[in-house]
Amino acid sequence: MSWEPVYRLVKKIPRGRVTTYGDLARALRLAGGARAAGYAMAACPSGRGIPWHRVVGARGRLLIREPHAGLQRRLLETEGVSVEGGAVDMQSYAWSPGKRRVTARKRRNAKRA
């Protein structure tokens, strides 16, 4: 299985924001859910500009073990994300992949129907 769709979506997470493994899985309809998103992030290739540190566990928890957890914390903090007690405040920093934008063509077609 290719993890490219996961990496493309992770690249869209804005600086200073985070999303969860579960949100990634739902947005991409990954079989295996959040666990599959976790596997994808664990296999994340270096040197391709994929901001792996912007993906966190449910309720904003940092799930990666040391020494990478410290690196994740530092990277998030350099982007202005506050990490308290091993978790990010999702009310303040959550980013949701959300729904795809509706193009003008789709709007016209919907009006005709």
Side-chain angles (χ1 to χ4, degrees):
M1 174 179 197
S2 171
W3 297 122
E4 285 307 313
V6 176
Y7 302 146
R8 277 194 302 272
L9 185 56
V10 170
K11 282 184 175 185
K12 292 180 182 181
I13 303 170
R15 185 175 174 80
R17 303 295 294 273
V18 298
T19 195
T20 66
Y21 296 103
D23 285 341
L24 285 178
R26 277 187 291 283
L28 296 170
R29 295 186 175 118
L30 291 178
R35 188 174 300 257
Y39 289 142
M41 297 313 299
C44 187
S46 61
R48 292 198 25 217
I50 300 166
W52 59 270
H53 60 282
R54 295 180 188 154
V55 182
V56 296
R59 295 180 297 283
R61 291 178 295 152
L62 302 186
L63 300 178
I64 301 172
R65 288 186 171 42
E66 291 296 344
H68 303 291
L71 176 59
Q72 183 179 26
R73 175 188 290 270
R74 285 191 304 278
L75 290 170
L76 288 171
E77 288 173 345
T78 62
E79 294 183 2
V81 177
S82 176
V83 181
E84 300 287 329
V88 171
D89 177 11
M90 295 302 283
Q91 294 264 340
S92 301
Y93 302 105
W95 176 82
S96 178
K99 297 179 181 176
R100 289 194 163 85
R101 292 187 333 209
V102 176
T103 63
R105 175 191 247 169
K106 286 182 183 177
R107 267 185 293 228
R108 279 193 307 271
N109 290 339
K111 287 180 183 178
R112 290 181 192 160

